Amino acid sequence: MENGSRMQLGKLLQALEEWAPLARQESYDNAGLILGNRNDEVKKVLVCFDITPEVVEEAVERGANVIISHHPAIFRGIKRIDPGSRMGRMLTLSLRHGIAWYAMHTNLDNTPTGVNAYLAQKMGLTRTRPLVPFPTQADAGAGVIGTLPDPIRETPLLDKLKAWTGAHCIRHSGLTGRSIRTVALCGGSGGEFFGAAQAAGADVYITGDVKYHDFADAEKGTWLVDIGHYESEQFVKGLIHDYLRDKFPHLAACISERSVNPVCCY
C-alpha cells in the first residue's frame, strides 16, 4: 500500500469514528484528533502504538503525514514547547512537516469490534459480552467476559499466553490447581475492573498494569493474571491497519517499525 489515492483527513477520521465513536472513550481520555487540520489532504498513514520522536522521524522518512496511534500522545495540558524535550521534538518536527496526530484509545477498547473483542476472539471465547457494559448500549463497554470451548489448567493457559503475546514474564496471584472455563479480560491497564470480573464469576481475569495490592486482595475464586500493558494491546496496530485497508483499499498506509514496547526485561 505504498502508493494510493489521496483524500481529505476529515473523511478518513469520519470513517474511524463510525467504527469507534469518540463518545465511547472514558472521561479521563484524550482520543481523537490531537494535532492537525481535518481539511488537510492525506498522503500516507503511519499506524503505531505510541507516538514517540522515533515514530515521528519514521513518518517523515516514509512520507506519512498522518499518524494514528493507540495511546494519545497528549493526555494533559502543555505549558511550554521546548524543542529539546521529548514532546517538544515530536511537536516541532510534526508541525514542520505537516504531520497530524490521531488517537484511538478507550473508544476503540470499548467498541464491540475493538481491542478486547480481538483478544476474546484470539483466545477462542464464546458467548462473549462486555465485562462492564455501557448503560445505553449493551454490546459495548469495557473488557470482555466469555467461555472457553474446553476447560484449561492454569499452567497450560500461562504457556499459551506467553507464546501468544511474547511476554517474557507473566505475573499472577498464585497457582491453586484451578480449572479455567470462564475468562474475563481487558487490554491495557484494567485493574479497576477486577471487581467486576469477580462479581461475574470469572475463573480468571487477564489484564495489564496490575498493582501490588490488587494481587494481595485477589479472591481465591478469581485468578488474577497480568500479561503486561503493551503485550495485551500490541495487536491494536494490526486492527487499525486492517480496518483502513478494508475501508480504503487504495489508501497508502503502513504499520510503524519503530513503535515498540518501552518496558524492557532482563
Side-chain angles (χ1 to χ4, degrees), residues 116-159:
N116 292 309
Y118 177 86
L119 294 174
Q121 182 181 20
K122 190 77 174 179
M123 292 193 67
L125 300 184
T126 61
R127 292 181 289 179
T128 58
R129 65 184 189 278
L131 180 60
V132 183
F134 284 151
T136 58
Q137 190 175 358
D139 65 336
V144 168
I145 186 167
T147 306
L148 289 169
D150 300 296
I152 187 171
R153 293 290 179 179
E154 297 160 325
T155 301
L157 177 59
L158 292 176
D159 289 337

Side-chain angles (χ1 to χ4, degrees), residues 35-36 56 81 88-101:
L35 179 67
V56 176
I81 298 176
R89 285 171 56 201
M90 293 161 50
L91 283 170
T92 53
L93 188 59
S94 294
L95 289 168
R96 185 181 305 136
H97 291 274
I99 297 173
W101 298 357

Side-chain angles (χ1 to χ4, degrees), residues 29-31 34-35 71-78 87 90-91 101:
D29 204 2
N30 190 35
I34 294 173
L35 179 67
H71 292 150
I74 299 175
F75 265 110
R76 305 172 187 86
I78 298 175
M87 180 59 70
M90 293 161 50
L91 283 170
W101 298 357

Side-chain angles (χ1 to χ4, degrees), residues 4-241:
S5 60
R6 298 178 179 181
M7 72 175 73
Q8 199 173 51
L9 179 59
K11 180 179 178 181
L12 174 65
L13 303 189
Q14 181 182 0
L16 293 175
E17 289 164 14
E18 288 173 357
W19 177 31
L22 295 178
R24 288 185 185 148
Q25 68 179 306
E26 302 293 339
S27 59
Y28 63 81
D29 204 2
N30 190 35
L33 183 62
I34 294 173
L35 179 67
N37 189 322
R38 287 178 177 261
N39 294 322
D40 287 348
E41 187 178 346
V42 178
K43 298 175 182 177
K44 186 175 184 178
V45 177
L46 182 67
V47 180
C48 67
F49 193 71
D50 294 296
I51 297 179
T52 65
E54 295 77 16
V55 169
V56 176
E57 291 168 359
E58 180 184 11
V60 173
E61 294 170 11
R62 302 180 75 166
N65 70 330
V66 178
I67 300 176
I68 300 177
S69 66
H70 184 47
H71 292 150
I74 299 175
F75 265 110
R76 305 172 187 86
I78 298 175
K79 294 185 178 180
R80 60 183 60 85
I81 298 176
D82 176 6
S85 70
R86 182 179 178 85
M87 180 59 70
R89 285 171 56 201
M90 293 161 50
L91 283 170
T92 53
L93 188 59
S94 294
L95 289 168
R96 185 181 305 136
H97 291 274
I99 297 173
W101 298 357
Y102 188 84
M104 303 184 71
H105 192 211
T106 54
N107 57 316
L108 185 55
D109 293 337
N110 294 338
T111 290
T113 56
V115 178
N116 292 309
Y118 177 86
L119 294 174
Q121 182 181 20
K122 190 77 174 179
M123 292 193 67
L125 300 184
T126 61
R127 292 181 289 179
T128 58
R129 65 184 189 278
L131 180 60
V132 183
F134 284 151
T136 58
Q137 190 175 358
D139 65 336
V144 168
I145 186 167
T147 306
L148 289 169
D150 300 296
I152 187 171
R153 293 290 179 179
E154 297 160 325
T155 301
L157 177 59
L158 292 176
D159 289 337
K160 285 180 179 293
L161 290 172
K162 290 187 75 171
W164 170 40
T165 63
H168 296 286
C169 174
I170 294 181
R171 302 188 302 156
H172 59 86
S173 58
L175 302 176
T176 62
R178 301 174 184 85
S179 177
I180 307 299
R181 188 69 185 268
T182 303
V183 176
L185 55 85
C186 182
S189 182
E192 63 183 295
F193 303 124
F194 182 47
Q198 292 174 310
D203 298 316
V204 62
Y205 179 51
I206 303 168
T207 188
D209 287 347
V210 175
K211 297 179 180 179
Y212 172 86
H213 291 289
D214 292 331
F215 284 115
D217 294 339
E219 295 289 337
K220 292 182 179 180
T222 301
W223 186 31
L224 181 57
V225 174
D226 183 342
I227 60 175
H229 193 129
Y230 178 89
E231 288 80 0
S232 66
E233 290 191 316
Q234 59 186 299
F235 313 100
V236 69
K237 294 177 288 185
L239 270 180
I240 296 171
H241 183 265

